[in-house]
């Protein structure tokens, strides 16, 4: 991470924040914003609501965050990308934790080059596609790229939770 800056405020028992990080040289910053209700001991008022929200946005070379998150298993080399993730829920003050979380987001990549340790001989190139996701599943609308002189593609859904059922015709398929 090249640099990080942020700001926060605490008003009416609500913690609002913004953070921006540059993960690589010449990368657009990734941003996260959020609002969480939390009554500190000295606060005189209760939060107006218990709703919480977080928003994450990553663009282009900011996708090099994959290099960090995957511990080097997957490396974003270059290309265009746009990731948006919104998480909403309720902050349960009795249990001091979030509940009823929901998430929705998508990632769009264009002309990306991606390396994977499991594919050591050559990177995936000309990767294009869109992936939609939530807390329970991800749906690959269309993801295609070049590898080893041929083209590969993926389409379908993949469950991310313990008890997720996906119709057989929608299961993620690789070609």
């Amino acid at each position: 991470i090249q640099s990080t800056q942020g700001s926060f405020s605490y008003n009416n028992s609500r913690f609002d924040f913004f953070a921006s990080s540059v993960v690589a040289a010449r990368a657009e910053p990734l941003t996260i914003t959020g609002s969480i209700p939390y009554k500190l001991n000295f606060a005189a008022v209760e939060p107006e609501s218990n709703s919480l929200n977080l928003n994450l946005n990553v663009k282009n070379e900011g996708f090099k965050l994959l290099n960090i998150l995957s511990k080097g298993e997957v490396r974003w080399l270059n290309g265009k990308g746009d990731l948006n993730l919104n998480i909403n829920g309720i902050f349960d003050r009795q249990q001091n934790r979030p509940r009823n979380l929901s998430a929705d987001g998508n990632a769009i990549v264009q002309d990306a080059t991606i390396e994977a340790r499991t594919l050591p001989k050559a990177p995936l190139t000309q990767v294009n596609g869109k992936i939609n996701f939530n807390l329970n599943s991800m749906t690959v609308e269309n993801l295609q790229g070049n590898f080893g002189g041929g083209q590969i593609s993926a389409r379908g859904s993949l469950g991310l939770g313990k008890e997720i059922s996906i119709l057989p015709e929608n299961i993620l398929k690789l070609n």
Side-chain angles (χ1 to χ4, degrees):
I1 294 180
Q2 303 283 315
S3 66
T4 298
Q5 61 184 10
S7 64
F8 69 91
S9 66
Y10 182 76
N11 293 306
N12 298 320
S13 294
R14 183 162 286 278
F15 179 65
D16 296 314
F17 62 92
F18 167 83
S20 175
S21 293
V22 176
V23 297
R26 297 180 312 278
E28 293 181 48
L30 66 91
T31 61
I32 185 167
T33 58
S35 181
I36 301 171
Y38 191 81
K39 184 179 179 192
L40 295 171
N41 292 336
F42 62 81
V45 298
E46 295 289 328
E48 288 182 13
S49 78
N50 288 334
S51 66
L52 66 86
N53 62 64
L54 299 170
N55 302 34
L56 173 68
N57 300 95
V58 180
K59 290 189 181 292
N60 301 324
E61 293 303 305
F63 271 68
K64 289 192 176 187
L65 181 64
L66 278 173
N67 307 2
I68 297 167
L69 294 176
S70 73
K71 297 180 182 176
E73 292 296 318
V74 177
R75 291 187 54 227
W76 178 272
L77 299 179
N78 61 49
K80 293 181 182 178
D82 191 8
L83 173 119
N84 295 293
L85 174 64
N86 300 306
I87 300 173
N88 297 292
I90 300 294
F91 189 79
D92 186 330
R93 288 182 278 161
Q94 261 78 34
Q95 295 186 11
N96 202 30
R97 56 179 272 191
R99 65 178 172 82
N100 299 338
L101 291 176
S102 66
D104 66 278
N106 63 55
I108 298 170
V109 295
Q110 293 179 295
D111 299 322
T113 302
I114 302 168
E115 266 184 351
R117 245 186 227 176
T118 56
L119 306 170
K121 297 190 184 208
L124 297 167
T125 61
Q126 303 268 305
V127 178
N128 293 285
K130 181 176 181 180
I131 301 171
N132 298 309
F133 44 88
N134 59 44
L135 286 178
N136 300 316
S137 66
M138 69 178 217
T139 301
V140 177
E141 281 188 23
N142 186 21
L143 190 65
Q144 56 188 356
N146 296 327
F147 178 70
Q151 190 172 60
I152 61 168
S153 65
R155 181 184 306 265
S157 296
L158 182 63
L160 301 175
K162 292 179 183 176
E163 298 179 20
I164 303 303
S165 63
I166 295 176
L167 297 173
E169 62 269 17
N170 293 334
I171 290 176
L172 183 65
K173 295 174 183 74
L174 299 173
N175 296 315

